[in-house]
Amino acid sequence: MTMMFYVALALLALAILCFLYRVVKGPTVADRVIALDAIGICLAGMVAVLSIVLETSVFLEIILLIGILAFLGTAAFAKFLQKGVVIERDGNH
Amino acid sequence: MLNWAIVSPLIAALFVPFLSKYVRSIHTGWFVLPIPVLLFSYFIQHLPLKPYGQTIPWIPSLGMDFQVYMDGLGLLFSLLITGIGSLVVLYSIYYLPKEKEKLGHFYVYLLLFMGAMLGVVLSDNAIVLYLFWELTSFSSFLLIGYWNERDRSRYGAQKSMLITVFGGLSLLGGFLLLSIMSGGTYSIRGWIDMAGAWPEHPLFLPAMLLILLGAFTKSAQFPFYIWLPDAMEAPTPVSAYLHSATMVKAGIYIVARFTPIFAVSPLWVWLVMGVGMATLCWASFHAARQTDLKGLLAYSTVSQLGLIMSLLGAGALAFHGDLSDRRLYTAAVIAAVFHLINHATFKGSLFMAAGIVDHETGTRDIRRLGGLLGIMPVTFTVAVIGSLSMAGIPPFNGFLSKEMFFAAMVQVANADWLSLEVWGALFPVLAWVGSVFTFLYSVLFVGKTFFGAPKPSAWPKQPHEAPAGMLVAPVVLAVLVIGFGLFPNVLSETVIAPAADAVVNGLLRGEGLSVHISHWHGWTTEVWMTIGVIAVGALLYKTFPSWKRVYGAFPEQLSLNRLYDASVRHMEEQSYRLTSAYMTGYVRTYFVYIFSAMMALLIATIALKVDWGLSFRHVAEVGVHELILVLAALAGTVTTVAAKSRLVAIIALGSVGYTVSLFFVLFRAPDLALTQLVIETISVSLFLLCFYHLPKLSRHEKGVRFRLGNAILSLGVGALVSVIALLAYSEKNFASIAQYHIENAYEKAAGKNIVNVILVDFRGFDTLFEICVLAIAALGIYALVKLKAPKGESGKYE
């Protein structure tokens, strides 16, 4: 049974390495951003598997956090690529 | 009482500025005059001398007390300082006009100097002596630079400061060595009592050399005399007081004071005698070429100080040899003390005469002077008396001390130990040559100034005799010159005998020390030498214009002043070049220094101190997932370093950060993992922000330029830190204290999250100040963004 979790971990890690290759290679910034987003989700998966292996529930918050951060990061990046700024000045101040 | 006598001029100096500011109708000098007069009458009451000392505790725990001791030497110097001090103050009242000069400054400096000088000669505690010694250097600096709007004054003041403070510091070193040798005391009398066993001590020689260096620089001995001619930029009363009668004799005082300690060393005898003699010949030779009256007197002062110094060296021979030798060489000490007094009198009067000539004609250049004989008869008389005394002509006092000088040098030639049987004959010859030149420049001083044809066209002012008040002080000194010349024994028993006794430290106590002073008649070798001096000197004076160009033959490039100027300039240039060589202004250079130094120190420490016990006992098993994560982190790092564009580097750095958070998960640190994720996200966004705002110009993207040196350095640092980590991990000497936290987190602190309990409970203080750090960072960023220097004032904020 444990063996399966390790296999899952190894596969996830392999996936991260592949995504990393994409991060390094590019060729466009959008490729890299998507790869990073995917790495984040893979990380969340790895943390989940790891908490099963380590038989603990303290890492569940991390999974949620990775989900939020990956979304925020990708959204901010996308806005940056589109508009050149992340936070727009709306003229109220 | 004695302590108060020393500090009284310093206290009086506090009140001088008020007097000079609020009592403008009266010349400030009149208020100052009573102080040296009172002190002089106080000191003269000590005759006949009964040595006594007094101590006021200052820093008893360090052995530093205001400890004063009055013996013959101290009393002699005190009388000189206060006596000539009174005359100089009187002279300065007429010399410095009260409307034009900053009198408050002048008299504050002068009183500071007077108190400091009294402190030097009366202190028995070496550290207190050093304190006063530096105060004399400092006040002399202020007095030389009194006319501080003139370049030459500032140059002279700086030069004398550099040289005398250099000597003063080495004197301090010598004192400290002596204190080490004596086991912690600073009392000079204590040292003299202990000195018997010291010649074998390894610190004896360094202490001696350092103290001699201090004495030679202060007393303007060869080759340190160069500051004295430049100190002639000071007002003439200062030159008369400091640079002839008192301060330049502080070195003489030190040599005389330390003779009982060091005289047993042959090197001391040779150095003091040799340097003194070299100074005498060199300076008397150069004095004759001077065209400035004060320059001539400055070189003459240097040469006379050399004379006194060589006599003290000959006197040190009294500590060698047997009883009859002792008596013979003590005569040299008596001669030194006698000439010290004589020089103070005649040189003081000569300086004042030169000052009067300057004051009344407006020039001190002997090429423009001449024929003042009929115009200034009193000044002329004073100058003649002083010059003839300086030249060593009877019946003036200089004659007596010069005879004693010759006698002492002939005795040195007769000595047959300390290699004196070989070189001793040189001393009387050099002494005679020096005296011939002394005769020459003394005659030149009077001849060029007062004789010859008047040159009214060359005089800036129409000269006339000086006012009576200005003449009082030089006349008094000239009278003393004649008085001591005719009745030398007035001084012998009262002042000279106790002073000489202090120099030889009672070597001849009760064995007829006084005999030699009164014994000054008879057709001896020295009389013939004097006759020779007068004959040859007169011949040289007659033929002076025809051989004057000998001086031109001496290359100006090799003079000591050139050497001094060049070395000061070179030191500045070289240190500037050194600084600009390593202070490049680039942070990268400083990083190279920092990392290189770190590597050098750590490698040296490992090589010297650490025994190579790499062990892997404590190492845990390595899992596959850990290896994969390491590979991922490695890939991120390599990409960061090798990235061609900044964006790639930032993203790769982010991936490293996320991998690290995964490590935290793997190593069971949930709080760390949470924080790391959030912080990494924020810092990546901050990087992106910076990246976006880079200026257009430098935006062209280039890869990192490869530099071999940097590569080696960074590989080295990485390897080194890894090795240190491994070494440190191999030796786990203590069990961790973590067990306590695990057991007590819930029991004592009511928390199950141990990390958080540690952060806010067990070690909450750290957290407090990390919050503080974040607050400062936030405020700093806010200030940086919001506060902008208004246009045109940007320099204000740099």
Side-chain angles (χ1 to χ4, degrees):
Chain A
M1 198 62 187
T2 351
M3 195 58 211
M4 259 181 64
F5 294 123
Y6 279 113
V7 170
L9 269 182
L11 286 175
L12 279 169
L14 201 64
I16 288 179
L17 278 180
C18 296
F19 287 130
L20 264 180
Y21 172 75
R22 191 40 58 197
V23 169
V24 173
K25 191 77 184 164
T28 67
V29 180
D31 289 319
R32 293 194 173 105
V33 173
I34 290 172
L36 272 182
D37 193 43
I39 289 176
I41 302 306
C42 279
L43 280 177
M46 271 183 101
V47 173
V49 179
L50 269 174
S51 4
I52 300 172
V53 174
L54 300 173
E55 296 180 349
T56 170
S57 61
V58 293
F59 292 125
L60 300 182
E61 296 151 29
I62 291 173
I63 298 168
L64 291 175
L65 189 74
I66 290 176
I68 296 167
L69 285 180
F71 168 73
L72 282 180
T74 313
F77 228 120
K79 199 170 175 192
F80 174 75
L81 289 177
Q82 194 188 9
K83 298 195 170 175
V85 288
V86 178
I87 301 165
E88 286 171 272
R89 289 174 186 269
D90 51 11
N92 286 337
H93 51 266
Chain B
M1 189 63 188
L2 197 52
N3 300 71
W4 288 108
I6 292 170
V7 294
S8 60
L10 306 182
I11 296 170
L14 290 176
F15 297 101
V16 167
F18 298 103
L19 288 171
S20 74
K21 196 169 175 191
Y22 295 112
V23 194
R24 302 193 72 94
S25 54
I26 303 171
H27 196 287
T28 316
W30 291 114
F31 297 111
V32 176
L33 187 58
I35 297 159
V37 173
L38 282 176
L39 284 172
F40 183 75
S41 48
Y42 166 71
F43 282 121
I44 212 156
Q45 280 167 19
H46 286 80
L47 292 174
L49 181 79
K50 286 195 294 292
Y52 86 108
Q54 215 174 0
T55 303
I56 292 180
W58 181 25
I59 314 177
S61 56
L62 294 179
M64 282 165 59
D65 292 312
F66 190 15
Q67 201 173 354
V68 293
Y69 181 69
M70 164 106 81
D71 59 358
L73 198 59
L75 179 64
L76 163 67
F77 272 92
S78 310
L79 287 173
L80 280 180
I81 292 160
T82 51
I84 297 192
S86 317
L87 294 173
V88 161
V89 171
L90 180 64
Y91 178 75
S92 70
I93 292 172
Y94 291 93
Y95 189 83
L96 297 172
K98 80 171 174 249
E99 296 80 22
K100 277 190 266 175
E101 301 288 350
K102 300 163 288 185
L103 292 175
H105 294 217
F106 181 79
Y107 287 110
V108 167
Y109 303 159
L110 200 70
L111 284 172
L112 271 185
F113 172 78
M114 197 182 289
M117 201 61 211
L118 284 175
V120 165
V121 298
L122 290 175
S123 290
D124 188 47
N125 188 296
I127 298 295
V128 177
L129 194 160
Y130 171 71
L131 179 86
F132 284 120
W133 180 277
E134 289 299 328
L135 194 54
T136 62
S137 298
F138 176 63
S139 49
S140 158
F141 167 78
L142 291 172
L143 283 167
I144 296 169
Y146 173 67
W147 285 311
N148 53 23
E149 70 279 7
R150 299 184 190 168
D151 278 342
R152 294 297 304 170
S153 294
R154 295 201 300 269
Y155 172 78
Q158 186 203 36
K159 190 175 186 178
S160 72
M161 184 77 165
L162 282 177
I163 294 177
T164 53
V165 167
F166 162 72
L169 285 176
S170 64
L171 189 76
L172 177 65
F175 285 166
L176 294 179
L177 289 183
L178 281 177
S179 137
I180 293 170
M181 282 158 72
S182 68
T185 175
Y186 288 109
S187 164
I188 296 172
R189 264 181 309 149
W191 289 345
I192 292 174
D193 292 340
M194 267 184 255
W198 282 353
E200 304 302 316
H201 199 285
L203 294 180
F204 181 77
L205 193 64
M208 184 176 96
L209 293 177
L210 285 173
I211 285 179
L212 273 184
L213 198 59
F216 286 168
T217 49
K218 196 78 161 183
S219 275
Q221 296 296 297
F222 189 86
F224 306 111
Y225 69 87
I226 50 171
W227 64 268
L228 195 97
D230 281 305
M232 290 302 128
E233 295 302 323
T236 303
V238 172
S239 309
Y241 188 35
L242 273 69
H243 306 126
S244 69
T246 51
M247 187 179 93
V248 286
K249 292 197 172 116
I252 302 275
Y253 169 79
I254 289 292
V255 168
R257 181 56 86 202
F258 283 86
T259 293
I261 297 179
F262 293 117
V264 287
S265 154
L267 188 62
W268 171 272
V269 177
W270 273 101
L271 271 178
V272 176
M273 204 156 63
V275 169
M277 193 53 81
T279 314
L280 167 66
C281 290
W282 179 268
S284 60
F285 176 67
H286 280 277
R289 74 181 294 195
Q290 302 301 316
T291 53
D292 174 30
L293 285 182
K294 280 174 82 177
L296 187 149
L297 290 177
Y299 275 95
S300 118
T301 302
V302 172
S303 93
Q304 302 282 322
L305 290 171
L307 189 159
I308 300 172
M309 197 63 96
S310 67
L311 277 173
L312 283 175
L317 282 170
F319 287 79
H320 303 260
D322 53 26
L323 183 67
S324 62
D325 291 325
R326 274 187 204 173
R327 203 168 287 169
L328 285 174
Y329 293 109
T330 310
V333 175
I334 293 166
V337 173
F338 191 35
H339 195 68
L340 188 82
I341 303 169
N342 295 344
H343 177 247
T345 52
F346 68 67
K347 193 51 66 67
S349 68
L350 283 176
F351 264 111
M352 290 178 187
I356 290 171
V357 169
D358 184 17
H359 202 262
E360 301 305 328
T361 65
T363 181
R364 298 193 315 239
D365 193 331
I366 57 174
R367 287 167 300 192
R368 298 167 71 183
L369 292 169
L372 293 172
L373 172 59
I375 304 169
M376 306 166 102
V378 183
T379 315
F380 165 70
T381 314
V382 168
V384 164
I385 292 169
S387 298
L388 293 184
S389 176
M390 181 157 75
I393 310 290
F396 306 109
N397 57 5
F399 166 69
L400 299 173
S401 45
K402 185 138 300 178
E403 294 275 275
M404 290 159 85
F405 171 56
F406 284 150
M409 287 303 141
V410 170
Q411 286 303 332
V412 168
N414 291 339
D416 52 358
W417 70 99
L418 303 183
S419 334
L420 280 170
E421 64 276 47
V422 185
W423 299 103
L426 213 55
F427 285 96
V429 175
L430 284 176
W432 187 80
V433 172
S435 300
V436 169
F437 278 101
T438 306
F439 182 89
L440 175 66
Y441 69 67
S442 306
V443 180
L444 277 173
F445 179 83
V446 177
K448 294 278 180 184
T449 313
F450 295 100
F451 290 96
K455 303 171 197 166
S457 56
W459 296 334
K461 290 200 251 182
Q462 184 52 45
H464 51 77
E465 184 58 274
M470 208 167 181
L471 288 169
V472 170
V475 167
V476 168
L477 284 173
V479 168
L480 284 179
V481 168
I482 301 175
F484 293 158
L486 296 178
F487 309 103
N489 289 317
V490 178
L491 293 173
S492 57
E493 283 305 321
T494 48
V495 178
I496 299 176
D501 191 47
V503 176
V504 296
N505 191 26
L507 208 60
L508 280 179
R509 197 160 286 149
E511 290 180 36
L513 182 74
S514 58
V515 178
H516 290 273
I517 301 180
S518 49
H519 181 74
W520 52 277
H521 279 299
W523 287 102
T524 44
T525 328
E526 48 268 26
V527 176
W528 293 110
M529 283 170 84
T530 305
I531 292 170
V533 164
I534 296 171
V536 178
L539 190 68
L540 280 180
Y541 176 66
K542 276 286 167 212
T543 55
F544 186 61
S546 57
W547 62 272
K548 209 161 57 173
R549 59 179 187 279
V550 172
Y551 287 113
F554 183 76
E556 190 65 24
Q557 299 291 337
L558 289 178
S559 76
L560 285 164
N561 276 318
R562 284 296 178 94
L563 185 70
Y564 165 84
D565 288 338
S567 56
V568 168
R569 201 177 56 241
H570 269 284
M571 272 189 264
E572 277 176 13
E573 276 170 9
Q574 292 305 320
S575 48
Y576 177 75
R577 270 168 61 182
L578 182 69
T579 313
S580 41
Y582 77 89
M583 299 280 282
T584 57
Y586 292 113
V587 178
R588 58 171 180 260
T589 332
Y590 305 144
F591 271 131
V592 169
Y593 301 154
I594 292 169
F595 284 124
S596 314
M598 175 188 131
M599 274 180 68
L601 289 175
L602 289 177
I603 288 174
T605 314
I606 291 173
L608 293 175
K609 293 276 175 195
V610 180
D611 40 340
W612 281 87
L614 266 189
S615 93
F616 294 91
R617 280 180 292 142
H618 309 292
V619 177
E621 233 175 289
V622 184
V624 186
H625 41 302
E626 285 152 3
L627 272 179
I628 293 170
L629 269 183
V630 166
L631 281 179
L634 214 57
T637 313
V638 170
T639 318
T640 313
V641 175
K644 288 262 187 300
S645 83
R646 290 201 180 92
L647 193 57
V648 176
I650 291 167
I651 291 171
L653 199 63
S655 80
V656 173
Y658 292 128
T659 321
V660 168
S661 77
L662 211 58
F663 269 115
F664 287 146
V665 171
L666 203 61
F667 296 137
R668 304 180 198 212
D671 296 300
L672 281 183
L674 278 175
T675 321
Q676 168 72 17
L677 277 172
V678 179
I679 293 299
E680 192 61 37
T681 312
I682 292 171
S683 47
V684 166
S685 352
L686 284 178
F687 272 126
L688 286 173
L689 197 72
C690 297
F691 168 73
Y692 179 75
H693 285 289
L694 276 181
K696 293 264 187 289
L697 266 178
S698 57
R699 231 174 170 184
H700 52 265
E701 308 220 318
K702 263 193 206 163
V704 178
R705 206 142 49 102
F706 183 78
R707 279 204 185 85
L708 187 64
N710 289 357
I712 292 172
L713 200 62
S714 46
L715 285 176
V717 170
L720 190 66
V721 173
S722 314
V723 167
I724 288 172
L726 282 175
L727 280 173
Y729 197 72
S730 325
E731 291 184 34
K732 269 192 174 176
N733 294 329
F734 308 100
S736 161
I737 57 162
Q739 200 55 40
Y740 172 84
H741 295 138
I742 294 167
E743 281 165 7
N744 293 305
Y746 190 70
E747 292 289 316
K748 294 198 169 156
K752 288 183 177 164
N753 187 330
I754 299 172
V755 175
N756 290 357
V757 168
I758 290 174
L759 281 180
V760 300
D761 193 320
F762 289 138
R763 301 184 57 176
F765 266 125
D766 298 355
T767 315
L768 184 65
F769 291 105
E770 269 154 36
I771 292 169
C772 195
V773 167
L774 287 180
I776 291 169
L779 284 175
I781 291 165
Y782 183 78
L784 280 176
V785 172
K786 283 287 175 190
L787 284 183
K788 278 180 190 151
K791 275 209 171 120
E793 287 182 47
S794 57
K796 232 168 96 177
Y797 290 86
E798 273 168 14

